[in-house]
Amino acid sequence: MKHRGKGIGCMWYPIGFTVLANPSAATVKINEDGTATLLTGTVETGQGSLTVLGQIAAEALGVSTDDVHVVSGDTDTTPMDTGAIASRTTYVSGNAIKLAAENARQILFEVAAPMLDVRPDQLEAVDRKIQVKYFPQRCLPIADVALQAQFVMGRPPIGSASYNPPTVGMDPETGQGKPFSTYVYATQCAEIEVDDETGEVEVIYMSAAHDCGTAINPMLVEGQIEGGISMGIGYALQEEMLFDDDGKQINPNLTNYIMPTSLDMPKIDVDIVENFDPTGPFGAKGVGEPTAVPTAAAICNAIHDAVGVRITSLPATAEKVLKAIKELRDGGEQKALPAAE
Amino acid sequence: MTDITLTVNGEEKTASVPPETTLLKMLREDLNYTGAKLGCDVGDCGACTVLVDGIAVNACLMLAGQAEGKNIETIEGLSTLEEYHPIQKAFEDVASLQCGFCGPGMIMSTKALIDQGEELTRDDIKDALSGNLCRCTGYTKIIEGVIDAYEEITGKKVPETNPRAA
Ligand code: FES
Ligand code: FES
């Protein structure tokens, strides 16, 4: 017989480690046609980070994302980056890019100020224009200002900056410090079905509520969360590296290392819980790794809800679940475990 | 060496390869169609999917010799310089892919499925893609992309289902 169960998993996750140097740097060049070139050391691995970083530069410069040409991941030409790791790219590289873009923009402000008869701090960059705050009709196209800066004033509008999350060392007495710049939070709920004759678990539905600061690109955030959930489902139910006595992996292939296919994926509802983090670029934090964290916990709680057994080693394969169900029926150890409620 | 003549994306091609050569190896190394990817080389991942006479096949499991005289379609045959194939367009619009390694295989499996001309449900789509592994996306936006492409190409609708209804 099949039993339905629901479970919840929650997590927090640190973004921007501060225990070690964790810098990113960027250079932003505003071209004479009003487009911009962004140099960043970070590497795109499909998560869409270059899109997000281009959006951050565009927002800071008041141009369209399409206007920003992103050059990345080439150590010959771009600044070194700590890496596309630790869910840090949007936060750390994003902060560096925002600062670099602001430095380049400052040159435009200083060049445009006398042209518009105001002080540089009275200007803003919006809609491909440098305009006087509150007086948007007094404006100049960014392309014109960039041209003026380059060819008349001799001040090419280029900005470079780096960002390293502020470091707070650990107090050797108390062990306290500030190991990370900021944190994200998430809850995922799983609805599953357990077959008590085979022990097989099917995930029917997952809902995922994730805080990532400002969602700079919500579609990409969804993609990260859905991908993370598939990894979480694999972690919960299928994926296991097996080693022999010599420490050699005995399933180094996709025939025996089982990962989720399209058939294993449930319906997923994603809820992006936005909030503004004052330390992040335009309030953003990060989303990558956290997406895979609460899934297995939610699924194991749902298994308990469905058939009353606690699976404490992953993956919760059919064999393990069936064994636990049998033990429970035979009045074995499982029964002695306190119920979660 | 075996001489093989086949049609790839409408063009006749010939190659002379050792008899144990797979279709995938010949496509990639002798004919320079590198769109189909070499993932596992043993039929587990689907990254190498191409169409052979309209049927989705793991090119790593088929010998080049078996493709003699056949009509092969690869990802390179879909888009032109001017425009994407509707499947590629739908995949781009909903951000179906992330790293993209599974992409050529996913898209060719999708093409084989839609080309069959049958009415599709969400389950049919999941079934048809089950031989194409994706490590990045959780398949969710890929399935969305397939649905959009199917609806665009055929004008039919994929029925809504509620898997939570017991
Ligand atoms: S390379 Fe052919 S299935 Fe993996
Ligand atoms: S997009 Fe990376 S494997 Fe599918």
Side-chain angles (χ1 to χ4, degrees), chain B residues 5 16 38 46 58 115 133:
Chain B
T5 305
S16 184
L38 174 68
N58 286 339
D115 284 354
L133 295 181

Side-chain angles (χ1 to χ4, degrees), chain A residues 222 239 255 260 262 265, chain B residues 44 98 126 135 139 141 164:
Chain A
E222 278 174 22
E239 294 181 38
T255 314
S262 51
M265 288 306 291
Chain B
D44 284 329
Q98 291 183 28
K126 283 178 140 188
R135 185 73 277 189
Y139 308 95
K141 290 195 186 312
R164 297 181 71 193

Side-chain angles (χ1 to χ4, degrees), chain A residues 209-225:
Chain A
H210 281 256
D211 146 48
C212 58
T214 303
I216 289 179
N217 190 318
M219 184 163 74
L220 294 176
V221 172
E222 278 174 22
Q224 290 291 286
I225 294 173

